[in-house]
């Protein structure tokens, strides 16, 4: 117990952290709430001493805006596609990694590398891989100078696809984004699942072996249920991360958030918030609160489902 | 199913590359286990008994030697295809499945012509659950069961697929003393009812002696003696086996043979005709002492522990290798011991006295 007369000391020790948290976390949250519920909020006008009426105008604006619906749709789509895909892939890869004896540590390191690499840099590399280099006005040039992905597909006789350049289709763009986001999400998930796998008592597998359990059944009936707490964790954090998708799209399409000529086509919720932050802080705040609400609801659903499905 | 081990050997390579210290966990184990018997593999920890069990199950590969189930050579058969049931030391029940799902699991793995219809599987599961008396716990999860109940679920799971051989790894070590007594009777009963050849591993000689048809005593990977529990107790082949079996343990003395007589200290305690003169170890079972005024073997009397039917006389002798000598005698002898008596003389029962060579520790028969 800290004695009463020394309590001020404790506060002094805590103050650096508390001050920083107050300035950079608590105040922004409060300010977001204020801005979101202020009609026609503008920070410049606010500095000039103007006061704003309380109202829901910002929310009405955001929800009514066509661009915001696009952002919402893109975000949802990327979440729904990438989270299950990356979780399943991560599970398979970690099971395989766990089964390999030689070079296990080396392979684990290699699989973890993307996690410590800058996502903008990775995005630029992916952009180059999916790119069509050169003047795309001539069809011939597309074929001869396509990026590595198109070259690879060419080995199987697939016509070069315009993945990300001007004139590319929406679904081509989404495919690139899914590949990139899944690839980027794998290392963290593998790390968590591999850690879980290595803490599973090996005797369960011995017991399964004695009972002549087929490999597939071992995976579905023993490994997955025993890993379920870790799987729930990566799914929940995956959805939270997915709803905040932004930098990956910037990495590939730049701040235009879409291929040349179709700017904004791949914009996301966070992208919308960034776009509005300069002149429309009120709307940006409202959008941020809406995003918070969505993540909150989805996480609650996730927790509810995982409580039913995870064991012990 | 008869189990036959031929020159079975397991060598673990050394972990340290610089030193070439291999560990020979099981060394040249040859044995035939007759069909339908309950066999105890007995030895102190690290003697290779569990390794032997795991080699029979197939989870460990033999370094050399052969294993036969009946006439079939299963040495290179994978554990999946050996058809054995194995109960692990900590049971390894799947924590996310109910008791019923745990027991059904091996049946659901069956494929092809062995595949059972669903209702038959459930019938079989309940049948085996009744056998081990857990049929009222079928919907519980393993963590809602006591140790003894988990133990029985593990046995049920091993039995449900009708294994050719049932293997138990230290089946009683996680149970408390009372439950241990009860469960070992259960294991005996279940084995009798099913008639499945059963091999279990234990370091507890009492456990092995009480329920086994046959016990195998091992030490440092080498089989010391194989036989019926009583035969091994009455006729140990070496000092290790004699010391390992029996509670209270055998009393060991320094002794020597001279002119056809066995001496412990200065006392000539027994006639041993036809044995050459040499220094020996003498082992005397606690029940081999008979207090007698004319006894040849003189000891200092410490105290008398009354245990009801029998009494245990605690005495000391300078030649004894144990701190005290413990003898078990009928309680009527107590009356013959005076309050202030300081010494006691015993005559010895010859077939409770064993002589072992000092060098080899092998038994010398007389």
């Amino acid at each position: 117990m800290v004695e009463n007369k020394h309590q001020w000391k404790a506060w002094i020790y805590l103050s650096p952290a508390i001050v920083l948290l107050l300035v950079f976390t608590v105040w922004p949250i409060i300010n977001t709430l204020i801005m979101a519920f202020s009609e026609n909020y503008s920070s410049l006008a606010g500095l000039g001493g103007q006061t704003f009426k309380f109202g829901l105008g910002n929310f009405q604006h955001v929800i009514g805006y066509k661009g915001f619906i696009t952002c919402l749709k893109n975000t949802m789509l990327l979440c729904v596609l990438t989270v299950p895909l990356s979780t399943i892939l991560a599970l398979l890869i970690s099971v395989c990694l766990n089964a390999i004896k030689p070079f296990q540590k080396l392979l684990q390191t290699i699989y973890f590398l993307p996690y410590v690499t800058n996502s903008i840099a990775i995005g630029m590399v992916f952009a180059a891989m999916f790119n069509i280099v050169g003047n795309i006005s001539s069809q011939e040039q597309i074929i001869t100078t396509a990026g590595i992905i198109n070259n690879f597909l060419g080995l199987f006789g697939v016509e070069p696809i315009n993945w990300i350049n001007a004139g590319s289709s929406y679904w081509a763009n989404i495919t690139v984004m899914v590949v990139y986001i899944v690839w980027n999400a794998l290392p963290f998930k593998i790390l968590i699942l591999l850690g879980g796998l290595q803490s599973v008592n090996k005797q369960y597998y011995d017991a399964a072996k004695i009972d002549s359990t087929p490999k597939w059944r071992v995976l579905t009936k023993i490994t997955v249920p025993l890993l379920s707490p870790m799987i729930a964790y990566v799914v929940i954090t995956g959805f939270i991360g997915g709803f905040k998708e932004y930098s990956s799209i910037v990495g590939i399409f730049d701040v235009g958030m879409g291929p040349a000529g179709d700017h904004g086509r791949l914009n996301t919720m966070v992208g919308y918030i960034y776009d509005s932050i300069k002149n429309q802080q009120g709307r940006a705040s409202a959008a941020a609160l809406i995003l918070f609400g969505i993540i909150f609801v989805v996480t609650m659903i996730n927790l509810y489902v995982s409580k039913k499905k995870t064991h012990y | 199913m008869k189990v036959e081990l031929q020159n079975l050997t397991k060598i673990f390579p050394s972990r340290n590359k610089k030193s070439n210290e291999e560990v020979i966990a099981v060394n040249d184990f040859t044995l035939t286990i007759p069909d339908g018997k309950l066999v105890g593999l007995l030895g102190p920890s690290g003697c290779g008994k569990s390794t032997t069990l795991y080699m029979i199950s197939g989870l460990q590969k033999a370094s050399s030697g052969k294993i036969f189930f009946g006439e079939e050579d299963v040495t290179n058969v994978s554990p999946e295809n050996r058809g054995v049931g194995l109960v692990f030391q900590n049971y390894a029940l799947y924590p996310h499945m109910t008791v019923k799902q745990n027991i059904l699991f091996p049946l659901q793995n069956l494929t092809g012509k062995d595949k059972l219809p669903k209702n038959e599987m459930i019938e079989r599961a309940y049948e085996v659950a009744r056998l081990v008396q857990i049929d009222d716990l079928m919907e519980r999860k393993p963590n809602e069961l006591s140790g003894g109940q988990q133990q029985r679920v593990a046995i049920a799971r091993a039995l449900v697929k009708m294994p050719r051989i049932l293997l138990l790894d230290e089946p009683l070590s996680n149970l408390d003393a009372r439950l241990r007594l009860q469960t070992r009777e259960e294991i005996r009963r279940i084995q009798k009812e099913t008639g499945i050849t059963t091999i279990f591993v234990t370091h507890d000689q009492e456990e092995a002696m009480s329920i086994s048809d046959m016990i195998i005593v091992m030490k440092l990977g080498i089989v010391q003696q194989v036989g019926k529990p009583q035969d091994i107790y009455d006729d140990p082949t070496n000092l290790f086996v004699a010391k390992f079996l029996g509670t209270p343990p055998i009393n060991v003395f320094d002794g020597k043979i001279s002119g056809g007589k066995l001496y412990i200290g200065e006392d000539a305690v027994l006639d041993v005709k036809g044995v050459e003169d040499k220094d020996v170890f003498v082992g005397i079972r606690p029940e081999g002492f008979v207090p007698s005024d004319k006894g040849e073997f003189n000891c200092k009397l410490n105290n008398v522990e009354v245990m009801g039917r029998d009494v245990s006389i605690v005495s000391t002798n300078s030649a004894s290798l144990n701190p005290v000598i413990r003898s078990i005698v009928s309680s009527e002898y107590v009356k013959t011991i005076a309050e202030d008596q300081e010494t006691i003389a015993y005559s010895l029962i010859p077939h409770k006295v064993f002589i072992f060579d000092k060098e080899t520790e092998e038994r010398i028969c007389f």
Side-chain angles (χ1 to χ4, degrees):
Chain A
M1 264 296 281
V2 181
E3 284 176 47
N4 245 359
K5 60 176 177 177
H6 287 310
Q7 230 176 30
W8 59 273
K9 271 190 185 169
W11 284 110
I12 285 179
Y13 294 143
L14 282 173
S15 59
I18 287 178
V19 168
L20 288 175
L21 281 173
L22 282 176
V23 172
F24 292 107
T25 305
V26 178
W27 170 242
I29 290 172
I30 295 169
N31 206 17
T32 304
L33 280 168
I34 294 171
M35 290 191 289
F37 288 101
S38 300
E39 293 282 5
N40 300 315
Y41 181 86
S42 153
S43 59
L44 274 179
L47 283 175
Q50 193 183 328
T51 53
F52 305 96
K53 266 202 315 207
F54 173 87
L56 296 172
N58 287 323
F59 289 91
Q60 282 166 350
H61 244 284
V62 169
I63 292 166
Y65 177 55
K66 210 174 113 260
F68 178 76
I69 301 301
T70 310
C71 294
L72 192 62
K73 197 188 80 190
N74 287 335
T75 309
M76 294 276 195
L77 187 64
L78 288 176
C79 264
V80 168
L81 288 176
T82 60
V83 173
L85 196 59
S86 63
T87 307
I88 291 168
L89 275 177
L91 184 67
L92 293 177
I93 291 173
S94 42
V95 167
C96 292
L97 270 181
N98 198 35
I100 294 172
K101 291 262 152 53
F103 309 119
Q104 195 182 40
K105 284 275 175 283
L106 179 73
L107 285 169
Q108 282 174 18
T109 312
I110 290 171
Y111 275 87
F112 191 62
L113 274 181
Y115 192 66
V116 291
T117 313
N118 183 304
S119 67
I120 299 285
I122 301 171
M124 289 166 82
V125 173
F126 265 74
M129 285 165 65
F130 283 98
N131 209 353
I132 302 164
V133 185
N135 183 359
I136 56 151
S137 61
S138 137
Q139 192 63 33
E140 225 172 304
Q141 266 181 320
I142 296 177
I143 297 161
T144 52
T145 60
I148 193 169
I149 301 287
N150 274 337
N151 271 315
F152 178 74
L153 290 177
L155 294 178
F156 304 97
V158 179
E159 288 289 309
I161 297 163
N162 187 351
W163 292 109
I164 56 171
N165 295 72
S168 55
S169 72
Y170 176 72
W171 287 106
N173 298 161
I174 288 291
T175 309
V176 173
M177 286 321 302
V178 167
V179 171
Y180 169 68
I181 293 170
V182 166
W183 188 82
N184 207 12
L186 280 179
F188 177 71
K189 292 190 164 81
I190 291 174
L191 181 78
I192 299 290
L193 295 178
L194 198 58
L197 274 176
Q198 283 170 349
S199 64
V200 168
N201 188 344
K202 240 183 69 68
Q203 269 196 345
Y204 296 131
Y205 294 110
D206 282 343
K209 221 185 255 178
I210 290 286
D211 292 338
S212 19
T213 318
K215 288 236 157 55
W216 179 248
R217 247 174 87 80
V218 173
L219 181 69
T220 55
K221 297 285 175 187
I222 297 173
T223 305
V224 170
L226 288 175
L227 275 186
S228 54
M230 285 80 182
I231 294 172
Y233 175 75
V234 298
V235 167
I236 291 170
T237 54
F239 268 106
I240 292 173
F243 275 106
K244 298 198 289 189
E245 210 57 72
Y246 173 66
S247 61
S248 53
I249 295 162
V250 173
I252 288 183
F253 291 101
D254 214 332
V255 284
M257 303 298 276
D262 269 312
H263 279 182
R265 187 164 76 182
L266 293 168
N267 208 354
T268 61
M269 303 275 288
V270 173
Y272 176 85
I273 295 169
Y274 275 124
D275 287 346
S276 325
I277 216 151
K278 226 182 251 163
N279 306 315
Q280 305 282 356
Q281 292 96 344
R283 287 179 204 171
S285 304
L289 287 180
I290 292 171
L291 178 60
F292 170 75
I294 292 172
I295 293 178
F296 185 79
V297 170
V298 170
T299 306
M300 283 300 127
I301 294 171
N302 269 329
L303 284 175
Y304 177 76
V305 172
S306 66
K307 204 168 257 171
K308 284 202 148 174
K309 288 278 171 194
T310 61
H311 311 280
Y312 64 141
Chain B
M1 178 95 20
K2 187 180 77 173
V3 179
E4 207 175 326
L5 311 177
Q6 286 181 1
N7 309 97
L8 196 63
T9 301
K10 177 73 190 180
I11 299 169
F12 290 109
S14 80
R15 275 177 173 248
N16 190 342
K17 272 184 189 148
K18 281 173 202 152
S19 75
N20 278 323
E21 271 179 73
E22 288 173 333
V23 177
I24 304 176
V26 178
N27 196 349
D28 204 20
F29 193 154
T30 299
L31 177 75
T32 303
I33 297 167
D35 185 26
K37 296 287 186 214
L38 179 60
V39 178
L41 266 171
L42 176 65
S45 64
C47 73
K49 55 195 189 306
S50 285
T51 308
T52 307
L53 194 80
Y54 284 117
M55 280 196 282
I56 296 172
S57 77
L59 290 175
Q60 296 255 18
K61 262 196 143 10
S63 304
S64 63
K66 284 190 183 303
I67 303 168
F68 291 88
F69 289 176
E71 300 307 315
E72 186 195 348
D73 181 356
V74 296
T75 317
N76 294 315
V77 175
S78 65
E80 290 92 330
N81 301 324
R82 284 202 190 183
V84 298
L86 176 57
V87 177
F88 290 86
Q89 188 167 359
N90 7 326
Y91 316 138
L93 297 175
Y94 307 120
H96 54 284
M97 297 183 195
T98 61
V99 169
K100 188 162 133 192
Q101 287 167 329
N102 262 293
I103 299 176
L104 279 173
F105 195 77
L107 292 180
Q108 288 160 342
N109 290 335
L110 298 174
T111 50
K113 63 176 169 58
D114 301 325
K115 203 170 164 65
L116 296 170
K118 203 167 177 209
N119 54 348
E120 202 168 315
M121 280 194 216
I122 291 176
E123 218 168 276
R124 283 259 293 266
Y126 271 95
E127 197 181 314
V128 70
R130 270 193 296 277
L131 179 71
V132 299
Q133 300 170 350
I134 47 157
D135 45 324
D136 51 339
L137 306 170
M138 295 296 260
E139 300 305 326
R140 301 241 195 122
K141 291 262 178 80
N143 60 5
E144 297 161 348
L145 301 178
S146 73
Q149 289 167 336
Q150 287 185 29
Q151 156 72 309
R152 282 186 264 170
V153 176
I155 294 179
R157 186 178 67 179
L159 282 177
V160 72
K161 57 177 181 179
M162 313 262 173
R164 301 199 276 179
I165 290 144
L166 178 64
L167 306 169
L168 304 137
D169 186 11
E170 301 262 1
L172 307 176
S173 62
N174 283 350
L175 306 178
D176 64 51
R178 181 195 289 261
L179 209 51
R180 203 173 297 165
L181 276 177
Q182 192 186 333
T183 313
R184 79 185 189 201
E185 298 308 321
E186 292 278 294
I187 291 175
R188 182 68 187 153
R189 176 181 64 81
I190 294 162
Q191 195 272 334
K192 275 258 168 71
E193 276 177 41
T194 57
I196 294 174
T197 309
T198 303
I199 304 170
F200 76 102
V201 157
T202 180
H203 59 263
D204 183 344
Q205 54 92 17
E206 210 183 316
E207 196 175 298
M209 301 252 296
S210 58
I211 60 172
S212 315
D213 295 314
M214 178 171 148
I215 55 181
I216 299 150
V217 185
M218 290 181 78
K219 177 196 173 190
L220 297 172
I222 298 168
V223 177
Q224 306 292 310
Q225 196 170 359
V226 178
K228 287 185 181 153
Q230 193 63 47
D231 293 351
I232 295 184
Y233 182 81
D234 289 338
D235 197 10
T237 56
N238 60 34
L239 184 60
F240 173 80
V241 176
K243 273 159 81 172
F244 203 76
L245 296 188
T247 32
I250 196 164
N251 301 288
V252 185
F253 303 89
D254 271 324
K256 67 171 191 286
I257 295 170
S258 175
K261 286 209 177 287
L262 173 66
Y263 288 89
I264 298 175
E266 299 300 310
D267 302 332
V269 291
L270 273 183
D271 287 339
V272 281
K273 294 259 152 53
V275 184
E276 58 175 316
D277 293 0
K278 61 169 139 183
D279 287 346
V280 291
F281 288 120
V282 184
I284 307 172
R285 291 279 182 214
E287 65 273 24
F289 298 89
V290 183
S292 151
D293 295 339
K294 292 182 225 85
E296 306 86 356
F297 184 37
N298 295 299
C299 296
K300 214 167 132 266
L301 180 66
N302 280 23
N303 59 308
V304 177
E305 288 172 2
V306 181
M307 299 184 296
R309 185 169 49 85
D310 295 326
V311 292
S312 165
I313 300 175
V314 182
S315 50
T316 50
N317 184 295
S318 58
S320 171
L321 297 174
N322 308 33
V324 292
I325 306 162
R326 224 168 249 284
S327 63
I328 306 273
V329 299
S330 173
S331 55
E332 60 204 63
Y333 284 108
V334 184
K335 296 170 207 146
T336 66
I337 298 171
E339 279 284 315
D340 54 351
Q341 190 173 331
E342 282 187 356
T343 58
I344 185 162
Y346 298 108
S347 54
L348 303 178
I349 301 170
H351 69 269
K352 293 289 178 187
V353 180
F354 311 118
I355 309 170
F356 304 97
D357 189 281
K358 267 249 156 110
E359 304 280 298
T360 62
E361 300 192 352
E362 291 296 316
R363 172 99 173 271
I364 301 167
C365 292
F366 60 91

